Every structure is written in structure tokens, then in C-alpha cells.
Amino acid sequence: MSTLDDDIRLLSPVGSEESKLKLDIITRLWDQRLDLSQLEEAHHFRAYFSYYQRQSHPTASSFTHCRILEIVDLLKDSSLDRQTIKSRFRRSHVQDSDLDNGMIDDLIDAAVRLWLMIYTTGSGSPRLPSLSGVWHFEWEDSKRLKELVEQKVFPKQNFDGNKRLPTRFDIFHLEKIAGIKVFWTNCLADHLSMTHNDSRVVLFHHATLLQHMKARDILPPDLLTETLKTLMILLPSTDENIREWFDKQREEVKETECPVLDPLVIGISQTGVTTRKLNQFVFWGERLEYLVQVYNEHEPKTLVQWVRDDRKPAQSWTFWIAAFAFLIATLSLIVAVLQTWASVASYRLAKAQAKVSAAFTSST
């Protein structure tokens, strides 16, 4: 059984043998007081701990739970810059020969990933292999983490006017009408970004964390609630199409960077969706606006997409009228062909009968 002094790679995302250790980690990270039933019901936090144990150093065994949590405690002090955090941590581990400056930098970046689900890298540290499509933010030694988050990671946006999200604006319509696929991410900063020539939208799936994370001194107010609202809109929990689609997704991602998806991402109560106005989304409004633009500009390419496309009622009526006219024209052509064939067949039959009659007459 793992302890806080073990490498984080040894922690199993599943099973109840290490539930007490997981509860200790959650408590230290976000000051959450949960019991074992809350941890185990509906696989709460399984997706997170699948991510957690893969954030260790690829070659060293220096990434212990205890060291990660010690750095998180330092990160929670929003008055500390990166250099101060490094210095304080180094002073408490003078006797640890496995901790050089580069390893301490990597430990700090891992702690940020596990606490805030964003990716940072020290300006002078060797950068760990990055994941495809994940945004890394350079955290300078002289800057506080709070400054980095507010200025570069989650800056507030201002929108004029009262632009609204379309009524039928969810993952089912994005995929079935516009062909936009979902790319799941563990990085909160990547949420709602577009990749692969605007053919994929990136979604942060750790809904359980969004409901339990507490980092008010670092993360901007209302960021987590706003992120949940975007998931409520794109993945409505009452839509059976979305549920069937998500069941398939859980099977398809097993060999990806997000092998375990948080099931709560499609189980968020819709009571939190009180507005669809873009100017109410101060952190994700710009990305939502671009996603709507890509969605609206996409023209159906297949008959199935045409049938499902109900974004523009007038255009849909035009399509169905044209389809009906085409059907009538096709039927008329078929009738005309059949009439011509019948006429030719009748003529040939009459001609054959005439020959038979003439032959009979001559023989008598």
C-alpha cells in the first residue's frame, strides 16, 4: 500500500486499497473533507488520479506525494514568486542529494499541474516532454503564480452587445452537422480551443474537480463556475443522444492522453445555465464566439448532415422544397420513361399481331 513518501507513479487510480491516501491528497490539495463513500461513488476522482499518477518524472523517482503536497502548500501563498518557492523548498531538503535545481523546477511545474490543472515551465529549467496540443506558460522566477494566471493564462475579456449562443449548440449538433470532433484534455487552459484546422474542439473533462477545487487566492473568481456552465451547454445531461455519444467516447479514449474520462462531465445539473449571452462569459467568451463562427460557417456536405441541419429554418425549407421538386421531377421522368416503354411495347405487340394475322390470312 502506498504512503505519502512513495513515488506518485505507484498510486493506483482504481480500487479501494489506497482510498485513505487519496482522501489525504484531496484534503491537502483543495481543503476538501470527503468520506470514503464520496470518493468511491460513481468513480469520483478516478479520472483525476489516472492523470495524477502519470505526472511523475519520466526517469527519476523524486516525485513523491509528500514533496508535491509540500510545494502546493507554498503555491497557495499568492505573495510568493517562483524563486522564493524554490529557495524555501531547497532549504527544507538540503540533505536530499536527488534534488538539483532542475529537478526542483520540474517538481514545481508538476505541483501546478496537479493543483490547478495548468501547465507551466520555469524559464531556466529543462522542459519535460510536452503533450500534443497542450499550452505551456513560461513562469519567470521573479513572477508570482497569481500574476501569471491573471495576465497570461486566464485574462478577463470584454464583449460588447448581446450576442447569444445558438439554441441548438451542443456537441451532438457540432459533430453531426458541422463535423467538429471533440479532443479531450487534462489542461484547463486548453478548454474550448480549436485544433486540426478547426475540425476539433478541446474540452476539459474534469467536472468533479471543477466542483471541488479551491484556489481562490490564485484562480480568478468564477472561473470554475463559468467552465462548468460551458460544459452544461455543450453536454446537456438530459439529452439521450449526448449520453449514447459519451458512452462511445469512453471506449475510444482508452489509448489516448485522457484514458479515463470523468463521467460527471455529462451529469452536471442544467439549473446552472441561466444565460446564453456571450458577454456573460468573461473567461471563455472569445473561444465560444469563435466556435459559434466555425459552426455557423460550416455548410452540410452529406445528405445526412442536410437532414439534421436545423440551424437556419428558412434554408431548411428551401432545401426540402428543392428536394421535393427534385423528387417530383424524378418521378415525372420515371413516369415518362415508363409511358414511352409502354408505347413502344404496345407498338411492337400490335406489329407482331398484324404479322400473325397476315400470315394466317395468306395461308387460308
Side-chain angles (χ1 to χ4, degrees):
M1 183 179 295
S2 296
T3 68
L4 286 176
D5 292 322
D6 289 328
D7 191 292
I8 65 177
R9 287 176 293 189
L10 302 179
L11 184 68
S12 173
V14 298
S16 57
E17 296 83 4
E18 297 170 316
S19 294
K20 178 62 170 60
L21 175 59
K22 293 174 185 176
L23 286 175
D24 290 342
I25 293 171
I26 292 169
T27 301
R28 288 281 301 274
L29 286 173
W30 303 297
D31 302 320
Q32 287 291 322
R33 300 291 177 180
L34 304 178
D35 55 38
L36 290 178
S37 63
Q38 287 176 297
L39 181 71
E40 294 168 2
E41 280 181 10
H43 311 301
H44 280 179
F45 292 99
R46 178 176 293 184
Y48 173 72
F49 282 110
S50 170
Y51 166 78
Y52 180 97
Q53 57 98 213
R54 289 182 290 111
Q55 298 309 304
S56 183
H57 195 281
T59 58
S61 59
S62 304
F63 282 36
T64 65
H65 306 289
C66 193
R67 286 173 174 176
I68 292 290
L69 295 173
E70 182 182 343
I71 292 177
V72 169
D73 288 339
L74 292 170
L75 293 172
K76 289 178 180 179
D77 187 343
S78 60
S79 67
L80 302 182
D81 58 30
R82 185 181 179 104
Q83 183 58 54
T84 302
I85 292 172
K86 286 196 289 187
S87 299
R88 290 189 180 183
F89 182 78
R90 188 182 294 110
R91 282 201 300 269
S92 62
H93 293 272
V94 175
Q95 303 302 321
D96 295 345
S97 59
D98 61 326
L99 292 178
D100 56 20
N101 290 336
M103 188 61 68
I104 293 176
D105 267 314
D106 289 342
L107 273 166
I108 290 173
D109 293 327
V112 174
R113 292 197 300 273
L114 293 171
W115 182 43
L116 301 181
M117 307 300 283
I118 60 176
Y119 287 63
T120 60
T121 181
S123 56
S125 64
R127 182 163 161 176
L128 294 177
S130 63
L131 301 175
S132 59
V134 173
W135 287 18
H136 287 75
F137 296 89
E138 184 175 317
W139 182 10
E140 300 172 4
D141 285 350
S142 60
K143 275 189 175 293
R144 296 178 293 119
L145 181 58
K146 183 178 179 66
E147 289 179 294
L148 176 73
V149 169
E150 291 181 346
Q151 295 172 10
K152 293 186 178 181
V153 187
F154 299 116
K156 284 189 175 182
Q157 305 156 7
N158 294 314
F159 283 89
D160 296 327
N162 292 313
K163 290 184 179 179
R164 297 177 61 88
L165 293 171
T167 303
R168 296 182 181 274
F169 185 71
D170 55 43
I171 289 302
F172 181 78
H173 284 79
L174 286 172
E175 182 173 310
K176 299 303 180 183
I177 294 176
I180 299 173
K181 304 289 186 180
V182 169
F183 185 86
W184 299 103
T185 186
N186 297 308
C187 178
L188 182 55
D190 286 347
H191 185 57
L192 292 176
S193 58
M194 300 290 292
T195 66
H196 295 74
N197 294 321
D198 294 342
S199 65
R200 292 187 184 182
V201 59
V202 179
L203 293 186
F204 180 76
H205 68 96
H206 292 280
T208 298
L209 289 192
L210 294 173
Q211 293 187 339
H212 289 87
M213 287 173 69
K214 287 185 178 180
R216 291 189 178 90
D217 290 338
I218 303 295
L219 293 177
D222 302 325
L223 170 67
L224 303 182
T225 302
E226 186 176 311
T227 307
L228 279 170
K229 286 181 179 179
T230 64
L231 292 172
M232 293 175 199
I233 290 171
L234 291 172
L235 299 164
S237 59
T238 56
D239 192 321
E240 286 301 321
N241 290 322
I242 295 292
R243 290 188 170 277
E244 292 177 7
W245 169 86
F246 186 71
D247 287 340
K248 295 178 182 177
Q249 287 287 303
R250 295 176 74 175
E251 292 299 319
E252 293 174 1
V253 300
K254 288 183 177 180
E255 301 299 324
T256 69
E257 294 161 357
C258 299
V260 180
L261 297 178
D262 186 346
L264 190 62
V265 76
I266 60 162
I268 309 168
S269 172
Q270 298 296 296
T271 56
V273 183
T274 57
T275 180
R276 299 180 75 90
K277 291 183 179 179
L278 281 172
N279 59 10
Q280 298 299 310
F281 294 90
V282 298
F283 300 105
W284 303 119
E286 184 176 316
R287 293 185 184 180
L288 279 172
E289 184 179 46
Y290 186 71
L291 180 58
V292 171
Q293 178 183 331
V294 173
Y295 175 59
N296 287 335
E297 289 177 352
H298 186 279
E299 293 296 332
K301 296 179 180 178
T302 67
L303 179 60
V304 173
Q305 289 182 344
W306 272 107
V307 171
R308 287 172 170 162
D309 189 2
D310 54 2
R311 294 170 295 174
K312 302 173 183 177
Q315 181 174 299
S316 296
W317 276 109
T318 301
F319 167 74
W320 285 114
I321 290 172
F324 182 72
F326 175 77
L327 178 62
I328 295 298
T330 302
L331 290 175
S332 298
L333 179 61
I334 292 172
V335 170
V337 170
L338 290 175
Q339 287 177 337
T340 302
W341 177 84
S343 297
V344 172
S346 178
Y347 170 75
R348 288 177 176 174
L349 179 61
K351 188 175 180 180
Q353 288 176 340
K355 286 183 178 180
V356 171
S357 178
F360 178 78
T361 303
S362 63
S363 64
T364 57

